[in-house]
């Protein structure tokens, strides 16, 4: 009988430990979501140094329909020289973006296309991006982005 009692106590302790672990994981997940939501509220910017290190070429483009996957739907308005590209990247790195849950709209209208040294590119618009789940954070940031387009095209 005593052996059975010790076994039952051991099982109870194991259950208690499992419940504590589950509660702890739930609290960690909740804290992570709160932190993530607060970061989204604040928005984020792209690193100027990282962009400069990885960008080969910068273009101002007009995107008619990115989802078609047809590069013919992307019209190059202007290809920037190196010095102007650095200035645009500096301005661009000051625009706040947000990464919300779900899929944002794809870029359309006047956008910035950043060509990377590996031959790939990303298109950034005030309303969405081609590769990342992000868009400009609020009306003020949309205006900043549109001013960049106007300034460099």
């Amino acid at each position: 009988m005593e052996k059975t009692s010790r076994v039952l106590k051991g099982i109870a302790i194991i259950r208690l430990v499992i419940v504590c672990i589950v509660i702890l994981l739930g609290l960690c997940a909740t804290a992570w979501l709160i932190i993530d939501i607060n970061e989204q509220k604040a928005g984020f910017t792209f690193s100027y140094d990282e962009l400069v290190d990885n960008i080969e070429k910068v273009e101002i483009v007009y995107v008619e329909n990115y989802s078609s996957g047809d590069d013919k739907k992307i019209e190059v308005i202007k290809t920037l020289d190196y010095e102007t590209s650095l200035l645009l990247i500096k301005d661009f790195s000051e625009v706040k973006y947000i990464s919300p849950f779900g899929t944002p709209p794809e870029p359309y209208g006047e956008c910035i296309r950043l060509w990377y040294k590996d031959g790939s590119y990303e298109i950034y618009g005030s309303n969405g991006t081609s590769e990342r789940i992000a868009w400009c954070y609020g009306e003020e940031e949309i205006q900043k982005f549109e001013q960049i387009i106007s300034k460099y095209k």
Side-chain angles (χ1 to χ4, degrees):
M1 184 86 158
E2 189 175 306
K3 187 173 182 179
T4 305
S5 176
R6 285 194 316 209
V7 170
L8 290 176
K9 283 182 183 179
I11 291 172
I13 290 172
I14 291 171
R15 285 182 180 167
L16 181 61
V17 168
I18 290 172
V19 168
C20 289
I21 290 171
V22 168
I23 290 171
L24 184 61
L25 289 174
L27 290 172
C28 288
T30 302
W32 177 77
L33 284 173
I34 290 169
I35 290 168
D36 188 50
I37 288 168
N38 285 333
E39 284 179 7
Q40 288 181 19
K41 287 181 181 176
F44 68 90
T45 58
F46 293 100
S47 164
Y48 172 78
D49 293 330
E50 195 174 304
L51 289 171
V52 168
D53 288 345
N54 295 307
I55 301 286
E56 181 73 28
K57 175 172 68 169
V58 177
E59 297 173 328
I60 305 294
V61 296
Y62 182 84
V63 179
E64 183 180 326
N65 181 4
Y66 185 78
S67 63
S68 71
D70 183 1
D71 280 350
K72 293 177 187 168
K73 301 279 185 177
I74 301 171
E75 174 191 342
V76 177
I77 297 171
K78 185 175 184 180
T79 301
L80 304 179
D81 62 48
Y82 180 74
E83 294 300 322
T84 307
S85 293
L86 292 177
L87 295 172
L88 181 140
I89 291 170
K90 175 73 171 120
D91 290 344
F92 175 73
S93 68
E94 294 172 359
V95 175
K96 287 183 184 174
Y97 275 80
I98 184 171
S99 289
F101 294 108
T103 305
E106 294 173 334
Y108 63 87
E110 293 180 330
C111 300
I112 297 169
R113 177 161 52 180
L114 302 177
W115 285 92
Y116 295 98
K117 292 179 180 177
D118 67 2
S120 66
Y121 67 81
E122 289 184 285
I123 298 176
Y124 294 88
S126 62
N127 56 317
T129 64
S130 61
E131 303 299 320
R132 301 171 192 239
I133 299 176
W135 60 66
C136 288
Y137 179 65
E139 192 61 37
E140 184 178 321
E141 300 305 312
I142 290 171
Q143 289 175 359
K144 278 187 196 176
F145 184 89
E146 290 171 351
Q147 288 171 353
I148 292 170
I149 296 287
S150 295
K151 182 177 177 180
Y152 293 101
K153 72 175 184 178

